[in-house]
Amino acid sequence: MTSIMERITHWNGREVRDQHGDKIGTVEQVWTTDDTRPDWLSVNTGLFGLRQSFLPVQGLTEGPGGDLRTPYTKEQVKDAPNVDPDGGLDATEVQRLYRHYGNLGSAHGTTTRDRTDHRADDAMTRSEEHLRVGTQDREAGRARLRKYVVTDTEQVDVPVRREELRVEREPITETNRREAMTGPAISEAEHEVTLHEERPVVDREAVPVERVRLAKEQVTDTETVSGQVRKEHIDTEGATDRNHRR
C-alpha cells in the first residue's frame, strides 16, 4: 500500500483548486513534522505566483485531472497569515495558521521542513479580526418597452375656395355695340353659370417620428456596512508596560 508520504512527494508543482474549482496556485513544497504526517503545503499564489501561502494538508483530495482540491476557499488561503517560507514554522506561526483555518480539529506542534526543533520565544502574539468587505452582483429589477395604440383628435385649419356670383352691368358703347345688337331685338332668354367650391378631404398616413430604446448606465453609490469583530487584549501582571507609562 502506498503511504501518504510516498504519494505527496509527487504533489510539488501540482495545481491547487478550491471547493468551487477556482485555481489557487501551485504547490511549492510539502511541510511535515515527521516522515508520516505532512501538515502544510506552501502554495505559490498572487500575481505571477510571487507570493507563498500556507494551506493545510488536511482535507486535500486529488482531482481526476491530477490537481489537488481543498475544502477552503481561494480567498481564505490567500488571506492566511504571512509566514517566511525560507525558514521553519515555529509554534507561534503554526498556532496563527490553525486559528486562521479554524484549528483544524486540533493543534499539532511545530512544523518544519528539516524537522529541526524551533522553539518558541517568550513573546505572546495578539490577533484581531478585521472586516473583509466586497461587492456581489444581483438582479435589482427589470424594465421593458411596450408599444400600444391610443386615439386622439386633431384639428387642422384647411383653407378652401368657392365661387360666388355677382352681377356686373356695363353701358352700351361703340366698343360693345356690335355684340349687343346680335340676336332678336325683343326676346326671352336664359343663361346658366356653374359655380365651384373646394371641400376638405381627410386621409391618414403612418409617419415614423422617433426611435426609443432602453440603455443601461452604471452609477456609484456608497453604502455603509457594519459587523462585529473580535480583538485579543493582553494584560500584564507583576510587570510594568514601558510603552504605556502615564
Side-chain angles (χ1 to χ4, degrees), residues 14-137:
R14 295 273 192 98
E15 286 188 358
V16 180
R17 297 182 180 273
D18 68 5
Q19 54 187 325
H20 305 296
D22 294 331
K23 180 180 177 181
I24 297 175
T26 56
V27 177
E28 173 67 18
Q29 187 162 345
V30 179
W31 296 62
T32 65
T33 52
D34 52 51
D35 291 337
T36 61
R37 190 184 64 207
D39 290 323
W40 303 94
L41 297 180
S42 57
V43 181
N44 291 327
T45 59
L47 188 63
F48 307 115
L50 299 180
R51 184 179 185 273
Q52 290 192 29
S53 301
F54 280 82
L55 169 68
V57 172
Q58 180 175 329
L60 279 175
T61 58
E62 295 190 36
D67 56 351
L68 302 177
R69 297 297 178 98
T70 177
Y72 301 99
T73 64
K74 179 178 181 179
E75 291 74 16
Q76 190 172 6
V77 175
K78 289 189 174 182
D79 291 340
N82 292 327
V83 177
D84 184 7
D86 293 332
L89 293 175
D90 61 28
T92 300
E93 293 170 332
V94 170
Q95 293 301 323
R96 289 171 57 202
L97 290 171
Y98 277 126
R99 282 195 298 269
H100 177 74
Y101 287 106
N103 288 328
L104 308 178
S106 63
H108 301 301
T110 302
T111 303
T112 65
R113 281 180 297 178
D114 54 7
R115 300 187 302 279
T116 303
D117 184 15
H118 294 272
R119 299 184 181 275
D121 58 20
D122 57 357
M124 181 180 294
T125 301
R126 187 183 69 84
S127 302
E128 63 184 26
E129 295 178 335
H130 294 273
L131 292 180
R132 291 201 303 266
V133 180
T135 59
Q136 181 182 21
D137 288 336

Side-chain angles (χ1 to χ4, degrees), residues 146-160:
R146 183 171 64 89
K147 186 169 65 172
Y148 57 95
V149 177
V150 297
T151 301
D152 293 332
T153 300
E154 290 188 359
Q155 293 184 346
V156 181
D157 293 332
V158 181
V160 293

